[in-house]
């Protein structure tokens, strides 16, 4: 179908819902930094004066295994964790897994050997964690999941999971699209750039989106492939989508970075992002919000990376033997182009 025909409707709807939703952020850290370039897990230790103790005046030691440095979201998340640990006086042993599960398993084993007080990690994929988490349990070291979940039924393997509701994020993306095309009488061709295969956000953002768009049989996903949450892959996969399909109406990208890469491919193909192809992404990092403010992304679902303060609170509570809820959900909203323009000057990441 011709997207130009529905554009006025899209713009009008965007203007009408300017005040309907907004971000629920905890401003505490900026972007930038992060990453390392070796292949194995690289571990750094940071200490700061004063702060929280694990008894007898000893500082709390937290081993944290990060996914990698694949996206702007991840960079902001890493900064938030490092800053919050320093502010809470927690000694942080930080390890970057370069998007590889085997590196995370190695890092967790090394934290067990070092007898850290608490282990936290953001699991790159959902499955395959039972063995190593049982080792941590046997060693008496509590584990906190942050950002991404695991798919084990054994809830005794971790104390709590702090992070977003990714299914709801997918639904938010779907609901917006459903509304835009509610009067469509012809098929609407959607292409999807999925996050890392097997990761919780890729699985859940897909499921939530599909659950909602199912309501309108005109909305159909004609191609769906992983772009591994990176700009480079997002661009590459979008190029192949554009070659294979001449009538793409909508792009749904599971994060801003893949969406930004795809925008480059769309422009290189002589098309106008946000007009010829309607674009929806997830994260709402600064670069994504900038593209939304310029009208290149039509709708961004927010996913808050600033999990550091909540994580450090949970670490201290666990060490002090206080009760911690099994699930801590981060609050977040969504932005149309107009809302992104208004919110941009106040974004912290
Ligand atoms: O959306 C993406 C990052 O797990 C929520 O990982 C996180 C996702 C985020 O690479 O940009």
């Amino acid at each position: 179908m011709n997207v130009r025909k529905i554009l006025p409707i899209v713009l009008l709807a965007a203007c009408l819902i300017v005040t309907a939703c907004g971000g629920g952020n905890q401003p505490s850290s900026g972007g930038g930094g992060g990453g390392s370039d070796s292949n194995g897990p690289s571990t750094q230790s940071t200490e700061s004066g004063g702060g929280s103790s694990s008894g007898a005046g000893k500082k709390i030691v937290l081993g944290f295994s990060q996914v990698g440095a694949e996206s702007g979201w991840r960079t902001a998340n890493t900064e938030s964790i490092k800053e919050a640990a320093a502010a809470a006086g927690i000694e942080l042993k930080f390890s970057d897994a370069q998007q590889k599960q085997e590196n995370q398993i190695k890092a967790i084993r090394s934290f067990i050997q070092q007898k850290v007080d608490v282990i936290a990690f953001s699991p790159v994929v959902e499955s395959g964690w039972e063995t190593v988490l049982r080792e941590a349990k046997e060693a008496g070291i509590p584990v906190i999941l942050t950002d991404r979940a695991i798919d084990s039924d054994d809830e005794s393997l971790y104390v709590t999971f702090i992070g977003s509701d990714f299914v709801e994020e997918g639904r938010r993306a779907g609901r917006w699209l459903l509304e835009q095309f509610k009067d469509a009488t012809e098929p609407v061709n959607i292409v999807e750039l999925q996050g890392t295969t097997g990761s919780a956000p890729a699985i859940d953002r897909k499921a939530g989106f599909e659950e909602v768009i199912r309501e309108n049989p005109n909305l159909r996903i004609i191609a769906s492939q992983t772009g591994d949450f990176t700009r480079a892959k997002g661009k590459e996969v979008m190029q192949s989508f554009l070659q294979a399909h001449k009538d793409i109406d909508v792009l749904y990208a599971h994060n801003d970075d893949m969406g930004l890469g795809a925008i480059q491919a769309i422009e290189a193909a002589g098309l106008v992002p946000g007009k010829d192809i309607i674009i929806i992404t997830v994260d709402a990092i600064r670069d994504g919000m900038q593209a939304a403010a310029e009208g290149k992304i039509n709708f961004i679902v927010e996913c808050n990376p600033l999990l550091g303060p909540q994580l450090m609170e949970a670490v201290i509570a666990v060490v002090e033997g206080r009760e911690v809820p099994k699930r801590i959900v981060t609050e977040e909203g969504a932005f149309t182009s107009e809302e992104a323009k208004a919110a941009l000057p106040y974004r912290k990441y």
Side-chain angles (χ1 to χ4, degrees):
M1 74 165 289
N2 186 353
V3 172
R4 285 180 198 281
K5 280 189 215 138
I6 61 109
L7 191 72
I9 308 167
V10 172
L11 291 178
L12 178 68
C15 293
L16 291 176
I17 44 182
V18 165
T19 53
C21 49
N25 310 318
Q26 316 141 12
S28 71
S29 95
S36 74
D37 32 29
S38 67
N39 263 329
S42 58
T43 307
Q44 317 150 4
S45 194
T46 17
E47 291 184 52
S48 59
S52 316
S53 83
S54 58
K58 232 180 96 257
K59 245 174 165 196
I60 295 176
V61 180
L62 168 67
F64 183 77
S65 168
Q66 179 60 291
V67 167
E70 74 284 2
S71 65
W73 190 100
R74 189 65 51 198
T75 304
N77 178 249
T78 293
E79 292 259 314
S80 170
I81 285 162
K82 288 184 175 171
E83 273 184 26
I90 290 173
E91 182 185 337
L92 177 68
K93 290 182 185 298
F94 181 91
S95 183
D96 177 337
Q98 315 274 309
Q99 294 241 69
K100 292 198 181 86
Q101 180 172 35
E102 75 230 49
N103 287 342
Q104 289 201 296
I105 293 174
K106 267 188 222 156
I108 294 169
R109 292 213 164 107
S110 142
F111 294 147
I112 296 172
Q113 259 170 12
Q114 295 173 64
K115 298 188 166 54
V116 300
D117 297 303
V118 180
I119 292 171
F121 79 114
S122 174
V124 60
V125 289
E126 278 191 341
S127 58
W129 298 104
E130 261 105 349
T131 309
V132 71
L133 292 187
R134 246 177 249 131
E135 290 166 24
K137 193 179 168 185
E138 273 154 27
I141 303 175
V143 171
I144 297 177
L145 304 179
T146 79
D147 159 35
R148 298 184 183 178
I150 60 170
D151 66 3
S152 170
D153 291 334
D154 185 354
E155 289 202 343
S156 76
L157 294 177
Y158 60 93
V159 185
T160 181
F161 165 40
I162 305 169
S164 312
D165 181 342
F166 299 136
V167 179
E168 187 53 29
E169 290 173 353
R171 287 192 195 112
R172 278 192 188 126
R175 277 185 212 118
W176 181 81
L177 193 64
L178 200 64
E179 178 59 25
Q180 302 314 303
F181 287 95
K182 65 173 190 287
D183 299 323
T185 49
E186 285 170 63
V188 177
N189 294 333
I190 305 164
V191 294
E192 180 182 31
L193 280 169
Q194 296 183 36
T196 301
T197 306
S199 71
I203 295 167
D204 295 352
R205 286 174 185 163
K206 181 169 188 47
F209 183 74
E210 282 177 347
E211 177 196 307
V212 171
I213 65 161
R214 210 171 288 140
E215 267 184 49
N216 182 347
N218 277 321
L219 300 181
R220 44 177 217 183
I221 300 175
I222 55 164
S224 180
Q225 216 174 295
T226 182
D228 217 11
F229 281 132
T230 67
R231 269 182 216 207
K233 266 287 192 69
K235 181 176 177 187
E236 194 184 303
V237 178
M238 189 69 206
Q239 262 162 1
S240 69
F241 285 163
L242 287 164
Q243 271 158 19
H245 306 276
K246 292 290 156 244
D247 193 12
I248 299 173
D249 299 309
V250 176
L251 163 67
Y252 169 44
H254 290 186
N255 81 344
D256 290 345
D257 286 86
M258 292 189 294
L260 292 164
I263 286 174
Q264 292 174 18
I266 291 168
E267 285 174 340
L271 297 168
V272 182
K275 294 199 171 65
D276 294 328
I277 297 180
I278 299 293
I279 303 178
I280 307 171
T281 63
V282 186
D283 275 355
I285 56 160
R286 179 167 298 280
D287 290 355
M289 291 290 275
Q290 184 64 50
E294 288 163 14
K296 296 183 178 184
I297 293 177
N298 306 76
F299 193 65
I300 303 199
V301 176
E302 186 184 39
C303 181
N304 187 358
L306 307 182
L307 304 178
Q310 275 173 304
L311 172 60
M312 299 312 147
E313 265 174 46
V315 167
I316 295 167
V318 167
V319 170
E320 289 177 353
R322 281 185 278 125
E323 189 82 26
V324 179
K326 199 80 202 174
R327 177 78 172 95
I328 301 171
V329 186
T330 354
E331 283 201 9
E332 39 216 22
F335 305 87
T336 60
S337 296
E338 291 303 318
E339 288 164 353
K341 208 179 285 172
L344 198 54
Y346 311 103
R347 294 297 281 176
K348 300 288 179 214
Y349 52 88

